[in-house]
Amino acid sequence: MKSLFKLIVLILMLSGCASAGEQHWQMKGLILHVDDLNTMDWPELAHKHGINTIGTHMHPGQVLEFIQSENGKAFLEGCRKYGINVEHQIHAMSELLPRELFEQDPDMFRMNKEGVRSQDCNCCVHSEKALDLIAAKAAEFAALLPSDNHRYYFWLDDGKETCYCPKCKEYSVSEQALIIENRMIEAIRKVDPQAKLAHLCYSNSMSAPVKVKPAEGIFLEFAPIDRTWDRPLSDKEAPALLNGSVTHGEIVKYLEDNLKVFPAEDAVVLEYWLDVSLFSRWKKPAVQLPWNREVFEADIDTYAGYGIRNVTSFAVYMDSTYFRKYPDTGCLQEYIDGLSAEK
């Protein structure tokens, strides 16, 4: 009996040690354009460096074409082999509500500041017909592009304006996005009952929604593209890199405000530490990534301090051409080393 008691105590002690040493970060991801995935064996490289999630990018049609190709099937098989989750982070609105429908019903599309309906981007979130079509198409894409971790990402048009009609203009960009997302998650869950859908906090949708509450299954995706990456977010006086309109302090305040609306434990940080395309100003030939380990490690400490446990980074333009010119993959290892350290 004493031996059994000692064994139980030992098991409990070992269990406590394992719990104490648990890694903080659950999702350790990368987002890659389908062109990147087409040119090299990313599942092998991701496995080598400990990446556990790959997000495909950029538009639904592009991603679907890749996934259904021989290279795409090999990519999925490789990810299954190594236990890597595949999700799809995509700019979707132009395909959720095709622009050619404008002639049939202009009221589905946004009104600009001049009071004119326009099919240039996004939609009118007070058009029930538009919301029904968007939700149905989102469910269709969810069925065709299932997510291994049940997280779905169907973003609005990239940083573009939303609707200024009399009903919509009372709502912020983030609130208009959330109206659409709330409708989409309802439809997507008919395809995947465990589905969760991202609310993208990015560019002009950084402010936390106030007038609209998230439906069950909506999670925060925080993507601070208007920051700089040569100074950490904890340096609150640092100015934005892309447009100079905000400081790091203001960006962190946006995060804090959004975490009052969305739970931190389910939130995803979408960063740009590894995004060659951003540092190349979205033009090829690509420049070498200006990787900054110190800034990255300070940033993940900041995010961890808010209880966030899921992180991914764009790594677009990391294709075979890039690695032939810049073969060192040390940045990927340092990225994972940082995310694997005990917190």
Side-chain angles (χ1 to χ4, degrees), residues 254-270:
Y254 283 131
L255 175 61
E256 293 171 346
D257 290 346
N258 275 279
L259 290 177
K260 295 173 184 176
V261 179
F262 303 91
E265 61 270 16
D266 211 26
V268 172
V269 165
L270 168 52

Side-chain angles (χ1 to χ4, degrees), residues 31-38 55-58 62 315-317:
I31 299 176
L32 295 151
H33 195 285
V34 293
D35 290 345
D36 307 320
L37 299 171
N38 248 323
T56 69
H57 189 63
M58 177 177 186
Q62 285 177 305
V316 176
Y317 285 7

Side-chain angles (χ1 to χ4, degrees), residues 82-303:
Y82 293 120
I84 298 169
N85 285 328
V86 176
E87 58 182 21
H88 310 285
Q89 300 224 20
I90 43 186
H91 297 290
M93 182 53 66
S94 63
E95 293 184 38
L96 295 174
L97 184 66
R99 306 293 100 179
E100 58 266 23
L101 295 179
F102 182 77
E103 292 184 5
Q104 297 179 24
D105 188 352
D107 289 342
M108 292 194 297
F109 295 82
R110 80 179 193 96
M111 182 177 287
N112 62 26
K113 292 179 180 179
E114 289 72 42
V116 178
R117 293 284 177 183
S118 173
Q119 76 270 50
D120 58 352
C121 55
N122 293 314
C123 69
C124 176
V125 304
H126 284 86
S127 166
E128 288 297 317
K129 184 177 179 182
L131 293 179
D132 286 345
L133 287 171
I134 290 167
K137 195 67 176 178
E140 180 183 331
F141 282 133
L144 294 169
L145 296 168
S147 172
D148 290 336
N149 57 19
H150 305 286
R151 291 183 184 271
Y152 294 84
Y153 306 80
F154 296 123
W155 302 331
L156 271 63
D157 287 319
D158 192 355
K160 301 293 180 62
E161 291 190 331
T162 49
C163 187
Y164 292 91
C165 80
K167 290 182 179 179
C168 289
K169 69 180 181 181
E170 302 303 320
Y171 294 85
S172 68
V173 174
S174 58
E175 289 164 346
Q176 290 193 40
L178 191 52
I179 290 171
I180 300 168
E181 292 151 2
N182 284 347
R183 185 67 67 90
M184 284 197 288
I185 189 60
E186 181 180 354
I188 294 169
R189 282 196 158 180
K190 294 176 182 177
V191 173
D192 179 353
Q194 300 180 64
K196 299 178 181 181
L197 179 66
H199 170 76
L200 183 63
C201 177
Y202 162 88
S203 186
N204 60 348
S205 64
M206 294 293 285
S207 62
V210 175
K211 297 177 182 177
V212 183
K213 303 302 179 186
E216 183 181 354
I218 302 294
F219 66 91
L220 177 68
E221 183 173 36
F222 184 73
I225 194 171
D226 290 328
R227 59 166 294 185
T228 185
W229 288 272
D230 58 3
R231 294 161 68 177
L233 283 175
S234 56
D235 183 350
K236 295 190 175 181
E237 300 304 315
L241 173 68
L242 295 185
N243 60 28
S245 63
V246 293
T247 63
H248 283 190
E250 292 169 302
I251 289 172
V252 170
K253 182 62 165 58
Y254 283 131
L255 175 61
E256 293 171 346
D257 290 346
N258 275 279
L259 290 177
K260 295 173 184 176
V261 179
F262 303 91
E265 61 270 16
D266 211 26
V268 172
V269 165
L270 168 52
E271 265 285 1
Y272 302 79
W273 302 299
L274 297 167
D275 190 12
V276 175
S277 70
L278 181 145
F279 293 105
S280 302
R281 292 298 183 268
W282 302 280
K283 292 182 179 180
K284 291 186 176 181
V287 302
Q288 184 171 17
L289 178 75
W291 170 247
N292 191 317
R293 181 173 183 170
E294 290 74 22
V295 167
F296 161 69
E297 290 181 345
D299 286 344
I300 59 174
D301 283 346
T302 294
Y303 289 127

Side-chain angles (χ1 to χ4, degrees), residues 50-62:
I51 304 295
N52 67 13
T53 306
I54 294 178
T56 69
H57 189 63
M58 177 177 186
H59 299 290
Q62 285 177 305

